[in-house]
């Protein structure tokens, strides 16, 4: 019997995912590092000083559908795409992925608006890297589909920088107005009105600068207060706080205690800001997204799951295009 010929496969380059996306949660969607199976690597292929049997990073999340050794995976198409990225056959599609070598000890997979990126130790062979992709294929396919779905969401209308326009602030909408007393900026919380203290003939750029400057000042004050509150609960201290305007992340934390929070969080209710503060502070205990990390988040912010889902699917009315 003649073997069944497979249908032609249409390449799906990672570049096809490039688009203006809504703000995403805490950097790109990142899978926790996977420990390479280093004992299988001949010693002659390793860099001097490379460790064998490197453990999985603390708290790393392993895919329950992991298929084990490389011998079980299907064949992959050879060669590279025209832009220098590699290809792999995954669920009937040729998937392009960006491949990088580094001094790290584990294989890392990440997905963002540019597609799939694999980072691996210099001594790990390509066969093991691609075996890892197959082991994690359900996660990879799901996250790529999620990115595609985000591309198809309706575009949020931009704010008009005119007298009387409204925008979200701490989960509620406020109006900004050109106040009669020039130079005096005043916020009436009860009425939800921000008086800008600008003359009647102020330009849209002047209005935008005044509103965003006020929002960022409020953001810094509120973020500082909430980080102090949850830092005390967790027993950690923030070395420095910086505001960011990133388009793909809400916050980040470095090992030396420096935290960056996106000032646009000021549009969301205080509970969402509290979640992001708790999330980043928890990284001072666990620099990963493994089970112990989420246990740490829950210890100071038990209702984190609802807040996390809100940030993953932000209501359009709370995410203006500024």
């Amino acid at each position: 019997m003649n073997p069944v010929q497979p249908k032609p496969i249409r390449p799906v380059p990672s570049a096809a995912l490039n688009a203006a996306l809504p703000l995403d949660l805490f950097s790109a969607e990142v899978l926790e590092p996977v420990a390479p199976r280093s004992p299988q690597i001949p010693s002659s292929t390793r860099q001097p000083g490379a460790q064998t049997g490197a453990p999985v990073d603390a708290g790393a999340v392993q895919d329950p559908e992991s298929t084990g050794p490389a011998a079980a995976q299907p064949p992959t198409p050879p060669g590279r795409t025209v832009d220098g990225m590699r290809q792999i056959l995954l669920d009937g599609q040729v998937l392009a992925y960006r491949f990088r070598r580094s001094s790290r000890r584990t294989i890392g997979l990440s997905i963002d608006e540019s597609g799939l990126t694999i980072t691996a130790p210099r001594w790990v062979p390509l066969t093991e890297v691609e075996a890892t992709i197959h082991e994690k294929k359900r996660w990879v396919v799901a996250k790529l589909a999620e990115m595609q779905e985000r591309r198809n969401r309706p575009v949020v209308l931009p704010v008009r920088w005119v007298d009387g326009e409204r925008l979200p602030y701490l989960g509620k909408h406020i109006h900004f107005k050109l106040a009669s007393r020039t130079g005096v900026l005043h916020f009436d919380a009860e009425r939800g009105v921000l008086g800008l203290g600008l003359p009647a003939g102020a330009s849209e750029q002047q209005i935008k600068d005044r509103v965003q400057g006020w929002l960022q000042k409020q953001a810094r004050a509120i973020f500082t207060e909430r980080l102090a509150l949850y830092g005390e609960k967790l027993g950690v201290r923030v070395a420095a706080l910086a505001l960011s305007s990133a388009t793909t992340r809400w916050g980040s934390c470095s090992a030396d205690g420096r935290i960056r929070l996106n000032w646009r969080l000021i549009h969301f209710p205080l509970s969402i800001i509290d979640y992001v503060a708790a999330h980043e502070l928890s990284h001072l205990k666990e620099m990963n997204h493994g089970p112990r990390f989420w246990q740490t988040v829950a210890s100071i912010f038990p209702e984190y799951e609802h807040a996390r889902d809100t940030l993953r699917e932000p209501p359009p009315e709370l995410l203006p295009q500024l």
Side-chain angles (χ1 to χ4, degrees):
M1 179 181 295
N2 294 327
V4 177
Q5 295 298 317
K7 295 180 180 180
I9 297 173
R10 179 171 58 87
V12 183
S14 297
L17 295 173
N18 279 321
L21 299 176
L23 290 171
D24 202 357
L25 176 69
F26 311 111
S27 181
E29 294 284 357
V30 178
L31 183 67
E32 292 301 326
V34 178
R37 293 174 287 273
S38 54
Q40 300 175 4
I41 314 305
S43 58
S44 60
T45 65
R46 300 195 188 100
Q47 295 293 325
Q51 297 185 23
T52 61
V56 178
D57 286 8
V61 178
Q62 296 299 311
D63 190 330
E65 302 297 327
S66 176
T67 55
Q73 98 258 356
T76 59
R80 299 173 182 266
T81 59
V82 293
D83 60 358
M85 298 171 66
R86 298 201 64 86
Q87 293 179 326
I88 187 170
L89 183 62
L90 203 64
D91 276 6
Q93 293 280 338
V94 174
L95 174 69
Y97 65 94
R98 185 175 292 102
F99 181 59
R100 297 170 180 165
R101 294 286 189 181
S102 76
S103 59
R104 61 180 294 151
R105 296 186 301 167
T106 58
I107 300 172
L109 296 82
S110 66
I111 291 177
D112 58 17
E113 65 273 13
S114 65
L116 175 63
T117 298
I118 311 293
T119 306
R122 295 186 179 92
W123 49 267
V124 173
L126 184 61
T127 53
E128 185 169 339
V129 171
E130 297 195 340
T132 299
I133 301 176
H134 282 289
E135 291 175 3
K136 306 298 177 183
K137 67 179 180 180
R138 292 185 62 178
W139 179 87
V140 170
V141 171
K143 291 304 178 184
L144 288 176
E146 182 179 312
M147 284 290 177
Q148 183 65 37
E149 188 274 332
R150 291 182 183 182
R151 287 185 60 206
N152 296 331
R153 292 178 187 168
V155 176
V156 179
L157 293 178
V159 173
R160 297 186 308 127
W161 301 106
V162 297
D163 186 41
E165 181 65 296
R166 70 172 196 163
L167 80 167
Y169 173 70
L170 293 179
K172 299 179 180 179
H173 280 83
I174 64 172
H175 293 78
F176 49 85
K177 290 186 172 293
L178 303 176
S180 57
R181 291 187 298 167
T182 302
V184 179
L185 190 150
H186 172 70
F187 178 54
D188 186 334
E190 185 175 340
R191 295 172 54 213
V193 175
L194 176 64
L196 301 180
L198 292 174
S203 68
E204 291 191 13
Q205 189 61 50
Q206 286 177 302
I207 297 174
K208 179 179 180 179
D209 290 345
R210 184 64 65 93
V211 173
Q212 287 195 351
W214 180 80
L215 288 173
Q216 291 175 11
K217 182 178 180 180
Q218 296 299 110
R220 178 174 289 279
I222 292 173
F223 294 171
T224 299
E225 173 190 297
R226 308 317 285 180
L227 285 170
L229 173 65
Y230 286 97
E232 183 178 356
K233 290 183 177 182
L234 198 58
V236 296
R237 291 182 58 187
V238 177
L241 167 65
L243 300 184
S244 82
S245 301
T247 59
T248 57
R249 67 177 64 184
W250 290 115
S252 63
C253 177
S254 62
D256 61 359
R258 297 177 181 272
I259 288 179
R260 295 175 64 86
L261 298 180
N262 196 309
W263 70 264
R264 292 180 178 87
L265 284 166
I266 199 65
H267 298 307
F268 290 84
L270 188 60
S271 60
I272 303 300
I273 296 174
D274 283 353
Y275 162 61
V276 179
H279 182 116
E280 297 307 335
L281 287 166
S282 294
H283 279 310
L284 297 179
K285 292 280 191 178
E286 296 287 339
M287 291 299 289
N288 55 73
H289 286 133
R292 287 187 294 183
F293 167 79
W294 293 112
Q295 290 169 8
T296 303
V297 175
S299 71
I300 56 173
F301 195 80
E303 59 274 28
Y304 76 88
E305 290 182 334
H306 174 72
R308 182 179 62 184
D309 291 344
T310 299
L311 282 178
R312 285 177 173 171
E313 299 288 340
E317 66 273 12
L318 294 182
L319 196 60
Q321 193 177 75
L322 301 182

